[in-house]
Structure formats: C-alpha cells, structure tokens
Amino acid sequence: MLSPSQVLQEFITLWVVIDPIGTLPVFLAVTRNMSEAERHAVARRAVLVSFIVLGLFIVLGQIVLEALGLPLPAFQIAGGIVLFLFSLTMIFGSGKPQSEIDEADRVRETSVFPVAIPSIASPGAMLAVVILTDNDRFSVIHQSITAALMGAVLMVTLVILLLANPLHRLIGTTGAMVISRVMGMILAAVAVDAVLKALVTIGALPPF
C-alpha cells in the first residue's frame, strides 16, 4: 500500500505533467468561437480521450517497451530528457508550448487535438504514468491507486475546463502564465529526478 506521502507525491507529479491550469489558454483559444454547450462538449470529450490514452499507456506502455527490448531505465533517461526540454518551454515560453495554440485553427476535431493531445495527455503525462506503474516495482494495488489518482486529476481538469471563462477572468492571462512557469520548474525537477533514478538503477551512480 502507498503511504499518504507517496499518494501525495504521485498526485503532485500527475498534476504537474497533466497541468490543468496550463491547459486553460489552449482550451480558450480553440473554443473562442463556440457556444457554451459546444465548449462543454469539447471539454468532456477531451478529458475522456485523455483518460483512454493515458489508461492505454498504463496497461500497454511497459509491455510495448519490453516487446521492443527497451529497458525501463533507458526509457526513463530518454523520457526525462524530453520532459526537461518540455519544462523549458513552460518556463521560457507562453505557458503551454505555443505551437499547441497555433495549430488549433487548422484542426477540426479540437477536442482531440490540441486539447486532449498534446495538452492534457502530454508526452510528459504518458511518460509519467508508465514510470509510476512499472510492473517490476509496483503491485497491482499500487498501479490501481495510481490510475485512480490520474482519474482524479482528470476530473479536476474537467471541472476547470467547464469553468474556463470565470477562472480565466479570475487569474487572468498573467496568472495562468505564472502558474505554468511554476509548474515548469516542478516538472524540470521531476525530469532530473527520473534521470538520476535511472542512472542509480543501472549502477552509474550510487544510491542517494
């Protein structure tokens, strides 16, 4: 069983990589010409698609890696580097990678792209759920709790998207950017931690 501190740590990790607040500008940009009912439909579908995609990564992610002959530490190191680069775009860019907003006008199914993928079910989120449900380290109960935490974060994301306009008025564009930059710093730390733990696993570094 997970201790309360482990549950909190995993929840924070999933919150950071999914980044519900950082999704707000993307969601508002792609739904600016929609009615309230249409915006709510996009929000519900985007969260559902994200849940399915991340759920598939929980169930099949490590199986696919093992089928390809890729050890988890290699995936952790590569993923940690990608996560770190992704976090830099959050810290130095305009919150979520600007390309997610720029692509919005050219994509018809906005609930799938860019809201669900890559804004909610981001590459970082896909990586995180695979690492947090490593079959070699965690029991089925542990993995089930992780999946439930992911579902909880996605439910919060849905509520935030359904309340997008009032929340955006409350925190403003500047507030969303500040929050996204803070999340970027946390994500950078998560990325470095993933790489260090992988190096410890393969014996390149002593345990710390």
Side-chain angles (χ1 to χ4, degrees):
M1 289 293 292
L2 279 75
S3 67
S5 61
Q6 288 176 308
V7 171
L8 180 60
Q9 183 180 18
E10 290 201 1
F11 181 84
I12 291 174
T13 299
L14 291 168
W15 177 275
V16 168
V17 294
I18 293 174
D19 191 13
I21 300 297
T23 300
L24 261 182
V26 179
F27 179 76
L28 289 169
V30 301
T31 61
R32 61 184 180 275
N33 296 322
M34 296 182 183
S35 66
E36 184 174 356
E38 289 172 329
R39 285 197 300 270
H40 287 184
V42 169
R44 288 191 294 269
R45 185 176 181 187
V47 171
L48 176 61
V49 170
S50 300
F51 181 80
I52 293 172
V53 170
L54 294 178
L56 287 174
F57 269 83
I58 289 177
V59 175
L60 301 175
Q62 188 169 357
I63 296 174
V64 172
L65 288 177
E66 291 175 350
L68 294 173
L70 297 174
L72 188 64
F75 186 66
Q76 282 180 281
I77 293 173
I81 294 171
V82 172
L83 271 182
F84 185 78
L85 295 175
F86 186 80
S87 71
L88 293 181
T89 67
M90 296 175 67
I91 296 169
F92 297 109
S94 303
K96 286 280 188 177
Q98 188 63 32
S99 60
E100 294 178 19
I101 296 176
D102 294 339
E103 290 288 341
D105 292 331
R106 299 196 295 272
V107 179
R108 186 174 181 181
E109 292 293 331
T110 55
S111 58
V112 176
F113 179 89
V115 181
I117 304 169
S119 193
I120 300 175
S122 65
M126 297 173 192
L127 166 71
V129 297
V130 173
I131 293 175
L132 293 175
T133 56
D134 175 12
N135 295 333
D136 296 328
R137 291 188 296 158
F138 304 120
S139 66
V140 174
I141 295 177
H142 185 136
Q143 293 173 338
S144 299
I145 293 174
T146 300
L149 291 173
M150 180 196 75
V153 174
L154 289 176
M155 284 303 298
V156 174
T157 303
L158 176 59
V159 172
I160 289 174
L161 295 184
L162 293 175
L163 299 174
N165 284 331
L167 282 175
H168 192 260
R169 285 195 297 268
L170 178 65
I171 65 176
T173 301
T174 301
M177 290 173 61
V178 169
I179 293 172
S180 187
R181 279 166 168 73
V182 173
M183 293 296 101
M185 286 296 299
I186 297 174
L187 182 56
V190 170
V192 172
D193 183 65
V195 172
L196 291 176
K197 286 181 177 178
L199 293 175
V200 169
T201 299
I202 63 177
L205 287 177
F208 58 91

